[in-house]
Each structure stands twice: as structure tokens, then as C-alpha cells.
Amino acid sequence: MPRLMDLGISSVSENLSEMGNMAQRSLQIALDSYFQNNRSRKKVFELNEKLRSLEDEVGDIATEIVARYQPVAKDLRFIRASMEIAYIFWRFGRYSYDIIDTVDELHTGLDCNKTAVMEMSSFVLKAMELSLLSLRTRDETIVEKLYELDSTVDTLYRKYLRGTINANNKDDWKVHSRCDICNILILRYLERISDHACYLGDCVSYLVTGLSSPRR
Amino acid sequence: MSRTLKGPEEELSPTLQVSKVSESVEIERPTEVKDIPPAKLSIRNLEAWFGTKRALKGINLDVRENSITAFIGPSGCGKTTLIRCLNRMHEMTPGASAKGQAILDGMDMYDAKVDPVTIKRRIGMVFQKPNPFPTMSIYDNVAAGLKLNGIKDKKLIDDIVRESLEGAVLWEEVKNELNKPGMGLSGGQQQRLCIARALAMQPEILLMDEPTSALDPIASSKIEELVHGMKKDLTVVIVTHNMQQAARVSDYTAFMYLGELIEYGDTKQIFENPRMELTERYISGKFG
């Protein structure tokens, strides 16, 4: 017979699952808008708003579960982790919105070199996918792969940032400025998404093992 | 009886885990090392019977000084039997027996030379149902043990009665009616009176067998606050069916099942990250 608390836990699980899908879609749309020069700001904005509202909902249900059922052990860890995971999904959505905002503000009318963003985004999309997989399958070992991907993403970000600075020392800053700023901002948002994918992996690790982040 | 195992002076982890009833005691060191208070009472291979029925199967654990240890587990798991073994009350039940060691500050309570009365002075007990002496006043309920132990100094008795009632957070409520019958108090007050009666003997350890199960939530909460405050002066062992109560008041929790100690550790660890599946299932309300 299911416990009363299980209804709330299942509701939180469903919300997290929906949020994960929305966050993934949100980033994909934002990147497509840059790569394919289409305008999808409204869609990403709506997804971001929905993610924020679901984050609130997860917090409300989690608080109610704590107040009414005093969860312990795995239930308690799930509740604690779910609030952080919901926040991470909202951050995914927010960074996706920041990307599309940057594209709208800086990239309109330009045809920038997208190689760096393409290269990094493939790693970040992979990290996001893996983090969602770790949550779905409760596989805490995936966190190690997320750390590896994050390290690659960090390296790429620093490489591109230094490259841009060096190039602008030699060349005419005005020629490159808008594209460089656009790319660096997008890369920075992608780098943050990668960090949050690691945090999600940490949450799954805590949920399964009860131990805090292996990296910390 | 008396097999020599690890003495109380040896520092054992609170996450002491018992794999079998046999002599071997498997100690698991915690990942996070905290300041662990010394053992006040070390239980080693303690077994208890009711006739031929074995109620406790080789219990090993260290009750930490100036801390609160909760025993939890489903009905019939042996928690009350264990607590009654800790001040040698178990053997007073006809047909009941116990063997093993319960080492209090280096003294094996089950040594043939030890007088059980001495043990009961050092280890007090509070029961599930408040049980004031029915014909006695509030004052006499607290003073009874002192008088039985030959204390005649009226001033001394007065002082101890007051200190004990203060210690049980009852003084302010009864100071003007000390001569009224103890039975005239509310259930929660009666239980605090029983705690005051136990405190009057200045025990080093206080055993509490489901002390709030017959009380309403407000009275229960007062007892919990009282228990929490008492640990600065003594060591408390509490048996409870209420897992939230164990989580709220205790520093260490022991989970028992079918006469065995399944898991013992820091309360936060037991309730957040139990190591044994059985503990997890019990505290999550999946059985019991």
C-alpha cells in the first residue's frame, strides 16, 4: 500500500521530469537561434517562466511533505535534492534565455564565426543530457563523466577568452568587438550550464549515497 | 559469563555495527570524525531470556556520556528488555535471565559481586505510564527514595526535593502545593514528578521507557525539552516508538529488530543516511 507521502514524492518526480525536458529544449532552441539565425526569444522566455513556476511548485510540495510527513532517509534526501535540482533546471532555463538575449542584442545583422560556440555547445549538450540521465536512472557514477566534460568546457572557455584578448591586442578592436562579446557571453553561459550539470550530478550522488559532492 | 572484550576506555565509534551475535564485533569508523563523548556504559554480548525465549541476541553498543541515546524498533524487538537489563530490572521478572556485560564506568553490572540495589541508585528509570506513589504528596513522592536510603536531614531533603522539581521543570507549577497528592496532577505533570523522583537519587544515567506515549503533544514536548536539558548533567537512554521524537531529542540512535541491534550511530546519520536497508525501511514507515 503506498504511503501518503508517496503521492507528494511522485508529484515532485513528475515536475522534475517535466522541468528536465523543458530545460533541455530551452537550451537547444537558444543555440539553434544562434546557429541558424532564427528568432525564438518568446519561446525560450515562456519556457523560462514555466521553469520558474515549476521550481516554486517543487519547493511548495517539498515543504508540505516535510511539514506533514517528516521524511527520513532516502525520502529526506530526495526532498532536499529535489529542491536543488529544481533550482538547477531553472538556471538552465535562465542561461538559455541569457544566450538568446545576447544573440538578439549583439548578433543581429552579423555573421560571426561560430566555431567555438559549436565546439563547446556539443560538450555542454552532452553534459546536460548525461545529468538528466543520471537523475532518471539514479546513476551516481555519471557524475565523474560530468566532471570530465566540465573540465573540457572550462579549458575551451579559457582558451577562447585568451585567444580573443590576444587577437584584439593585435587587430582593430572595433572590427571584432560585437562578435567577440557575443561569443564570449554565450560561451560563459554555456560554461555555467556545464557547472550546473555537475551540481545536478552531485545531487544525484547525494540522493543515492547520502554523501556530499565527491568533488568537494 | 563475562567474556573479556573491549573495555569501556577504548574509544569505539558511535557507528558501531554488530554483524553477528558471536564474539566478533565489527566496528565501522564514520567518514566524518566528530568529537565523540566517552562511553558511560558499554554493553557487550548482552543476551536476555524470558524462560527459553531469547529476547536479546548479543547486543554490543556504547552509551555515550552526557548524551541522549534513543532505542527504536517495532514492537517486540527488545528495546524495553534492553533498557530493563541496563539497571538490572529484567531479572526481577519471574523466569527472566540475562548474561553478558554491561560495564558502567569500568564496573561490570552483571558481575556476581555487584549489588543490584547499587546499580538502581546510579541508574534511574522512568516508565511509560506516570506512576506517582498514589498515597503520597508531591513532596513525599520526590523525597521517598531519599528517606528509604536513610537520609534524615530535613533541610537536605528539602533542598534536594526543590532541586529535583526544578530539574524536572515542575517547581514553579507545584511550589505552593507540595503537600497535595501527586495523583492530583495532570498526566504530563505526573510524568515530570516521576522524573523529579528519579533525579532526587542523583543518578548518573536515566533510562526512560516511552516516557511520553501516554501524554498529549504539549506535555510530550515539555518532557522532550526537559530531556534535552538534562543531558548536561547525566546520560539519558530513551526508548521510543515515535521516530520523530528520537530524531528530535537524541544524539545517537540504535535500531533494533527481533532482539538484534541492526544499526547504531549518530542520529543525523541514522535518519538521513542509514547504512542498513532494514533501518531504512523501518524509519521510512515501510514496515513495522
Side-chain angles (χ1 to χ4, degrees):
Chain A
M1 193 171 70
R3 300 163 305 161
L4 288 174
M5 177 165 46
D6 291 337
L7 292 170
I9 283 180
S10 132
S11 173
V12 170
S13 293
E14 281 165 22
N15 276 349
L16 290 183
S17 168
E18 192 184 348
M19 288 179 84
N21 292 335
M22 287 167 68
Q24 210 170 11
R25 204 160 71 242
S26 180
L27 177 60
Q28 193 62 65
I29 294 170
L31 289 170
D32 286 350
S33 126
Y34 179 57
F35 297 140
Q36 294 162 18
N37 292 321
N38 59 33
R39 293 290 166 263
S40 313
R41 187 189 183 105
K42 191 164 176 270
K43 262 190 237 168
V44 176
F45 178 77
E46 282 167 0
L47 283 168
N48 185 44
E49 285 298 292
K50 179 76 177 154
L51 281 167
R52 185 155 64 176
S53 137
L54 284 172
E55 191 224 349
D56 285 346
E57 201 173 315
V58 166
D60 287 347
I61 302 171
T63 307
E64 187 181 348
I65 290 173
V66 169
R68 292 175 71 150
Y69 307 115
Q70 296 92 42
V72 293
K74 272 183 198 148
D75 297 325
L76 176 64
R77 301 204 301 272
F78 175 76
I79 294 303
R80 183 179 153 185
S82 68
M83 288 195 276
E84 190 165 343
I85 291 168
Y87 172 73
I88 290 166
F89 284 149
W90 173 55
R91 292 311 302 170
F92 283 159
R94 177 68 215 191
Y95 289 127
S96 302
Y97 180 71
D98 288 338
I99 288 172
I100 212 156
D101 191 45
T102 303
V103 172
D104 271 9
E105 290 294 325
L106 294 169
H107 194 243
T108 307
L110 291 180
D111 189 18
C112 301
N113 181 344
K114 294 166 184 163
T115 317
V117 175
M118 275 182 174
E119 186 181 14
M120 196 197 276
S121 65
S122 67
F123 289 107
V124 173
L125 285 167
K126 179 73 183 162
M128 194 190 243
E129 190 187 325
L130 278 177
S131 67
L132 293 172
L133 179 70
S134 80
L135 179 62
R136 270 199 302 276
T137 58
R138 299 286 196 273
D139 182 352
E140 82 280 10
T141 60
I142 288 177
V143 75
E144 294 300 334
K145 288 180 197 152
L146 290 170
Y147 292 160
E148 279 173 34
L149 282 168
D150 188 45
S151 174
T152 308
V153 167
D154 286 346
T155 307
L156 286 173
Y157 174 67
R158 279 193 295 271
K159 185 179 122 189
Y160 188 77
L161 186 63
R162 282 189 197 123
T164 305
I165 291 165
N166 290 339
N168 278 297
N169 282 339
K170 291 173 200 155
D171 300 338
D172 181 359
W173 171 248
K174 284 177 190 167
V175 174
H176 299 287
S177 57
R178 268 176 61 192
C179 274
D180 285 343
I181 292 168
C182 178
N183 279 340
I184 285 170
L185 282 172
I186 293 173
L187 292 173
R188 180 63 178 162
Y189 298 136
L190 288 172
E191 189 272 330
R192 295 300 297 136
I193 289 174
S194 174
D195 280 344
H196 278 76
C198 289
Y199 301 155
L200 207 162
D202 289 341
C203 287
V204 173
S205 175
Y206 166 73
L207 208 162
V208 175
T209 65
L211 302 173
S212 56
S213 164
R215 189 159 62 168
R216 284 174 222 158
Chain B
M1 177 186 90
S2 295
R3 264 192 301 264
T4 306
L5 292 169
K6 289 182 189 335
E9 62 284 353
E10 285 183 64
E11 272 306 299
L12 299 181
S13 149
T15 50
L16 177 150
Q17 297 216 351
V18 180
S19 56
K20 290 216 177 257
V21 180
S22 66
E23 295 95 15
S24 67
V25 180
E26 185 185 317
I27 313 290
E28 186 177 312
R29 295 281 169 191
T31 359
E32 290 174 33
V33 180
K34 294 199 305 183
D35 286 341
I36 302 165
K40 178 71 183 172
L41 178 61
S42 295
I43 302 162
R44 295 289 177 268
N45 281 345
L46 188 66
E47 309 222 338
W49 281 266
F50 290 100
T52 54
K53 187 180 183 305
R54 192 161 67 150
L56 291 181
K57 300 170 185 172
I59 304 294
N60 290 278
L61 71 84
D62 286 338
V63 174
R64 299 279 156 194
E65 191 166 41
N66 293 110
S67 62
I68 302 167
T69 302
F71 292 167
I72 61 168
S75 299
C77 71
K79 1 180 241 301
T80 294
T81 305
L82 176 56
I83 206 173
R84 287 171 64 87
C85 283
L86 299 187
N87 75 342
R88 296 195 56 176
M89 278 189 78
H90 171 71
E91 64 207 72
M92 291 164 69
T93 307
S97 59
K99 74 166 190 174
Q101 289 181 303
I103 303 160
L104 174 65
D105 289 337
M107 175 193 71
D108 181 6
M109 285 165 30
Y110 278 89
D111 191 289
K113 293 174 202 152
V114 172
D115 177 4
V117 176
T118 322
I119 298 302
K120 289 186 179 69
R121 274 191 209 129
R122 295 181 65 184
I123 304 181
M125 181 103 167
V126 174
F127 298 88
Q128 184 175 0
K129 218 174 146 193
N131 58 351
F133 299 130
T135 58
M136 288 188 194
S137 66
I138 293 168
Y139 179 96
D140 286 340
N141 257 283
V142 183
L146 301 170
K147 290 176 182 170
L148 271 174
N149 278 281
I151 299 176
K152 291 182 179 141
D153 182 338
K154 177 79 169 68
K155 170 82 173 59
L156 179 62
I157 294 175
D158 283 352
D159 288 347
I160 295 176
V161 166
R162 179 177 175 149
E163 277 168 24
S164 306
L165 286 167
E166 281 173 346
V169 200
L170 188 59
W171 174 253
E172 286 302 321
E173 293 163 58
V174 301
K175 63 184 178 191
N176 297 321
E177 46 193 38
L178 291 174
N179 293 321
K180 288 190 178 172
M183 292 300 282
L185 298 171
S186 71
Q189 287 174 321
Q190 284 185 27
Q191 192 63 305
R192 280 182 282 147
L193 179 61
C194 294
I195 292 171
R197 187 174 67 193
L199 293 180
M201 300 306 293
Q202 297 175 324
E204 295 158 51
I205 298 177
L206 187 61
L207 308 174
M208 307 183 95
D209 189 2
E210 295 186 52
T212 63
S213 63
L215 306 180
D216 65 55
I218 303 294
S220 298
S221 143
K222 278 193 179 167
I223 300 284
E224 286 177 12
E225 285 159 16
L226 168 60
V227 169
H228 187 263
M230 285 191 311
K231 73 173 181 179
K232 67 180 190 301
D233 300 316
L234 55 123
T235 302
V236 179
V237 179
I238 183 168
V239 165
T240 179
H241 263 124
N242 181 333
M243 279 173 289
Q244 275 67 45
Q245 181 172 71
R248 280 194 297 268
V249 302
S250 71
D251 302 299
Y252 300 98
T253 297
F255 168 59
M256 297 180 67
Y257 185 64
L258 298 177
E260 289 186 72
L261 176 65
I262 304 298
E263 187 166 355
Y264 175 46
D266 183 274
T267 294
K268 182 179 183 292
Q269 175 256 308
I270 293 283
F271 283 93
E272 188 179 340
N273 191 19
R275 294 194 169 91
M276 310 298 281
E277 178 66 22
L278 201 57
T279 315
E280 166 100 33
R281 283 164 43 76
Y282 178 71
I283 63 172
S284 306
K286 289 173 183 157
F287 83 96

